[in-house]
């Protein structure tokens, strides 16, 4: 048990964040596919830690299949450690698409707007716990990116390592930045329109859990501790990796029975606990393939059109924000993948795969670029005319355009899914070696 494994399937930009964090910390790792797990990888060569990034828990469960799900349960029950972020946390819960490592389930939202929150949130932490770094302040700022929620249940031995308190200075609800709104705005909106946008629903909610499953353990976090330039979150991630793989507590507390799984003695210690900035648009080209450079230029053009017409905005160095209703999450997945592909040297396997798929991919991308450009400009026109000529651009027509390009809401399909599948496989082959 000398390395950690990162589950690649259905993670996309969140998988890249996890990879960058582990890579920048100098930790030994391997990217693994769901099929490898289903084929017995975890029993043949057990990792010191299985890290499951964000994404959609349902799609991760589908990728693993029953054999893969059972293999993960067997790995943890036999003494392994499971660390899941956001969608990976949801996968660890009990429910239709869950592993059942944690007896709690995923809570539903009373209002879908409650899911559309992002940025840093302060949290109270379980001070003195061996999984909590002593260097953390009493209420560290931890990043969330459209998180789910835990449904706490009594009668189970689940430890709560952190609970949300107050939003940080970069907190947004959908496309509304809280720090730009005058005091009392949410109260006025609630009184006038009867809509609740104030993020008080987070206050007191658990955001990081830990518990036992057989001889092993699970740690589930709806906060993205792998977020670039989030020092308190990054410190906690480095500490968790070290402790969950059997290392000494950075807090100075001795290891206590039951805190970690049957990991290797000594732990995996991060050389540097800070995850650096990820300037996606400034990444230099390291694979000078004309097709990939063309692909990046087309995606850059889509982003530029969206920004110029007030549909996209720069959320931070690695994330494009979007107006409510625009499929920004999908475009972030594609944008991050193509930027990573261009900025990463090719492996022989990646070159072979790309040469097989290149012509077809570029043909489909040309169609996608044309379709998305038309769709975004139609959305912009609808915004302009919404007050005076609200029916000029049919909302049903926009919905159909979006579905044809991206698939149904809360799922993926169309040209988007086809392009993403190719890029996802390509980047895996580059990073996997």
């Amino acid at each position: 048990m000398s390395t950690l494994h990162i589950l690649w399937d259905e993670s996309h930009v969140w998988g890249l964040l996890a990879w960058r964090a582990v890579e920048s910390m100098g930790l030994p790792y391997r990217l693994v596919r769901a099929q490898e797990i289903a084929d017995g990888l975890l029993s043949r060569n057990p990792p010191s830690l299985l890290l499951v990034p964000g994404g959609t828990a349902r799609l991760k469960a589908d990728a693993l299949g029953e054999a893969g799900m059972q293999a993960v349960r067997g790995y943890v029950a036999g003494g392994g450690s499971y660390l899941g972020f956001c969608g990976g946390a949801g996968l660890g819960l009990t429910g239709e698409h869950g592993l059942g490592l944690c007896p709690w389930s995923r809570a539903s939202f009373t209002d879908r707007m409650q899911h559309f929150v992002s940025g840093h949130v302060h949290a109270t932490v379980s001070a003195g716990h061996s999984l909590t770094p002593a260097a953390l302040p009493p209420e560290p700022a931890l990043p969330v990116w459209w998180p789910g929620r835990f449904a706490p249940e009594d009668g189970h031995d689940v430890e709560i390592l952190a609970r949300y308190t107050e939003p940080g200075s970069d907190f947004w609800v959908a496309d509304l930045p809280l720090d730009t709104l005058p005091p009392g705005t949410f109260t006025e909106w609630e009184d006038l329109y009867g809509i609740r946008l104030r993020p008080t629903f987070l206050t007191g909610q658990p955001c990081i859990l830990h518990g036992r499953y057989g001889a092993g353990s699970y740690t589930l976090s709806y906060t993205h501790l792998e977020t670039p330039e989030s020092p308190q979150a990054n410190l906690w991630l480095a500490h968790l990796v070290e402790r969950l793989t059997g290392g000494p507590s950075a807090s100075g507390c001795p290891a206590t029975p039951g805190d970690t799984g049957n990991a290797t003695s000594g732990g995996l210690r991060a050389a540097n606990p800070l995850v650096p900035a990820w300037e996606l648009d400034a990444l230099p080209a390291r694979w000078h393939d004309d097709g990939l450079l063309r692909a990046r230029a087309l995606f850059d053009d889509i982003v530029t059109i969206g920004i110029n017409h007030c549909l996209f905005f720069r959320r931070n160095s690695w994330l494009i924000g979007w107006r409510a209703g625009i499929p920004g999450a999908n475009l972030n997945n594609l944008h991050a993948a193509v930027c990573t592909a261009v900025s990463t040297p090719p492996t022989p396997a990646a070159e072979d795969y790309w040469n097989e798929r290149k012509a077809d991919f570029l043909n489909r991308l040309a169609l996608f670029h044309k379709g998305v450009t038309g769709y975004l400009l139609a959305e912009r026109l609808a915004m302009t005319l919404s007050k005076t000529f609200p029916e000029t651009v049919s909302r049903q027509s926009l919905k159909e355009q979006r579905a044809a390009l991206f698939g149904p809401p809360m799922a993926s399909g169309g040209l988007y899914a086809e392009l993403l599948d190719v890029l996802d496989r390509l980047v895996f082959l580059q990073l996997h070696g």
Side-chain angles (χ1 to χ4, degrees), residues 34-125:
Q35 188 58 55
E36 294 180 274
I37 291 177
D39 290 341
L41 175 66
L42 298 181
S43 60
R44 292 194 308 271
N45 183 25
S48 57
L49 174 67
L50 177 62
L51 192 161
V52 183
T56 303
R58 173 179 56 83
L59 297 179
K60 293 179 187 294
D62 289 345
L64 285 165
E66 185 51 43
M69 297 282 275
Q70 189 55 46
V72 174
R73 294 187 194 102
Y75 158 74
V76 180
S81 296
Y82 178 102
L83 174 60
F85 294 127
C86 210
L91 184 66
L93 296 172
T94 294
E96 183 180 359
H97 304 292
L99 289 161
L101 304 179
C102 174
W104 290 7
S105 61
R106 187 178 188 269
S108 60
F109 288 100
T110 57
D111 185 334
R112 281 297 298 168
M113 287 296 288
Q114 294 178 351
H115 177 60
F116 300 152
V117 297
S118 62
H120 283 76
V121 186
H122 292 284
T124 57
V125 302

Side-chain angles (χ1 to χ4, degrees), residues 161-252:
L161 301 184
R163 293 180 182 271
Y164 299 117
T165 56
E166 296 293 327
S169 60
D170 67 337
F171 194 84
W172 292 54
V173 176
D175 53 11
L176 294 170
L178 261 63
D179 64 347
T180 65
L181 299 174
T185 298
F186 282 141
T187 300
E188 293 179 8
W189 285 351
E190 289 166 11
D191 292 341
L192 287 171
Y193 310 117
I195 185 170
R196 295 184 60 82
L197 296 177
R198 194 168 11 192
T200 52
F201 60 87
L202 288 176
T203 305
Q205 288 288 321
C207 55
I208 305 179
L209 309 179
H210 177 72
R212 304 290 301 175
Y213 184 82
S217 73
Y218 61 84
T219 306
L220 311 179
S221 175
Y222 274 124
T223 70
H224 280 272
L225 304 181
E226 79 283 21
T227 298
E229 293 188 295
S230 186
Q232 293 167 358
N234 299 162
L235 172 65
W236 204 338
L237 172 58
H239 180 81
L240 281 173
V241 170
E242 185 173 345
R243 290 294 295 119
L244 293 174
T245 58
S249 171
S251 67

